[in-house]
Amino acid sequence: MDDLAATNRTDGTSGAAEPAAAPGTESGPLPGGRAQPKTDKSEQTRALILETAMRLFQERGYEKTTMRAIATEAGVSVGNAYYYFAAKEFLIQGFYDRMTYDHAADARNRMANTRDFAERLEIALTSWLDTAAPYHEFAAQFFRTAADPSSSLSPFSSESHPARATAVELFRDVLQGSELAPKLDAELVELLPDVLWLYLMIVVLYWVFDRTEDTERTREFVRRSTPMAARVINLSRYRVFRPIVRDAKGLIQDFILPTIGKTAVK
């Protein structure tokens, strides 16, 4: 039935009408089949659908929650739900977008008064764990799909680019706002935000499977690994390590960054 509703919405035979664009606003979908909000009302409707979906995913599980159930609980038509999110999986993309935005704002606020790179990096990662904490119980339900390289839910996919770009920009601020940035090679400074995002992905993977209270093992992993990462990056500025840094940079540019959707290789 959900598929039929989506089809009817597409050909215009049924479902709620798409909200009209406000004068002077952009129209068109976001990457991954997410509708671009055009008015305050449409943004409220989109947020309501997303919040309802997150609640139902927690209560019923991702697999057992349908778009029709989400629409019913949110008090909107199925067609309207499909207008904002072309498929159930894109609700997760919407969730990624919102959580990444909240994480970036929280992390920037927390690290505003420190310039020590190791401290700023630990703050940014701990902030992610705190922001994601309410969703930990059902996060593993998404991993099976997100781990599929062809899935739009993969953090490396083109559909995930908006959330990924927000996170990479945060890590650029982590570095640029520190005392370490002026001491590093300019090419390495340009590359490091993407590398630090990959570091976050390692933390996220560990977090998904962490069943300790308040994910304490993941938090301890962050506390112990961030000083080590900072020391390695700091060592890269010394001439004796330059050849190794260049080799590592080449590997990352040639083999890792090309696998990330919409990531420019410089």
Side-chain angles (χ1 to χ4, degrees):
M1 290 296 292
D2 286 353
D3 292 338
L4 178 59
T7 301
N8 288 344
R9 175 192 56 77
T10 302
D11 63 21
T13 58
S14 68
E18 297 181 2
T25 60
E26 294 183 2
S27 60
L30 290 168
R34 289 157 287 169
Q36 174 71 53
K38 304 179 183 69
T39 66
D40 288 342
K41 184 177 179 180
S42 64
E43 174 57 36
Q44 291 171 4
T45 301
R46 184 180 185 277
L48 173 62
I49 294 169
L50 183 58
E51 289 165 7
T52 301
M54 291 302 104
R55 176 172 58 82
L56 292 181
F57 292 161
Q58 287 178 299
E59 294 174 358
R60 306 178 185 181
Y62 177 72
E63 296 296 338
K64 294 181 180 179
T65 302
T66 65
M67 286 292 283
R68 182 171 295 280
I70 293 168
T72 299
E73 287 285 326
V76 301
S77 70
V78 176
N80 213 21
Y82 274 113
Y83 167 69
Y84 286 101
F85 299 95
K88 187 173 68 171
E89 64 194 72
F90 296 126
L91 284 158
I92 307 305
Q93 289 289 356
F95 163 68
Y96 286 166
D97 292 345
R98 187 176 70 177
M99 199 187 79
T100 304
Y101 176 86
D102 291 345
H103 163 228
D106 179 70
R108 287 189 175 101
N109 183 59
R110 293 191 193 192
M111 65 185 183
N113 297 318
T114 181
R115 296 194 68 239
D116 181 81
F117 174 71
E119 289 182 20
R120 289 171 69 85
L121 182 57
E122 181 177 347
I123 287 169
L125 295 174
T126 301
S127 171
W128 189 93
L129 294 175
D130 291 341
T131 304
Y135 311 103
H136 183 253
E137 288 303 313
F138 69 99
Q141 299 178 46
F142 306 139
F143 179 75
R144 180 174 58 186
T145 303
D148 180 355
S150 64
S151 170
S152 63
L153 291 183
S154 167
F156 298 91
S157 71
S158 292
E159 290 85 353
S160 295
H161 176 71
R164 186 172 57 250
T166 299
V168 170
E169 192 60 32
L170 168 64
F171 285 114
R172 192 177 308 281
D173 288 351
V174 168
L175 180 61
Q176 294 286 8
S178 75
E179 87 296 345
L180 182 59
K183 303 174 184 178
L184 298 177
D185 180 85
E187 287 187 313
L188 186 60
V189 169
E190 182 62 28
L191 183 66
L192 271 175
D194 285 293
V195 176
L196 294 175
W197 175 78
L198 291 171
Y199 176 23
L200 172 62
M201 292 299 99
I202 295 172
V203 172
V204 171
L205 179 61
Y206 195 93
W207 173 84
V208 166
F209 294 102
D210 185 357
R211 289 297 175 262
T212 58
E213 185 174 357
D214 194 30
T215 58
E216 183 54 37
R217 284 186 64 84
T218 307
R219 293 176 184 277
E220 182 63 18
F221 174 75
V222 168
R223 283 191 290 268
R224 291 174 59 178
S225 63
T226 47
M228 182 174 65
R231 285 196 295 271
V232 170
I233 293 170
N234 186 50
L235 285 173
S236 71
R237 65 195 176 98
Y238 295 105
R239 186 179 300 276
V240 67
F241 293 105
R242 288 292 175 86
I244 299 175
V245 171
R246 290 195 188 95
D247 288 345
K249 177 176 177 289
L251 285 172
I252 292 169
Q253 287 184 316
D254 294 342
F255 294 99
I256 297 178
L257 294 187
T259 68
I260 303 175
K262 294 189 177 179
T263 296
V265 180
K266 298 181 179 180

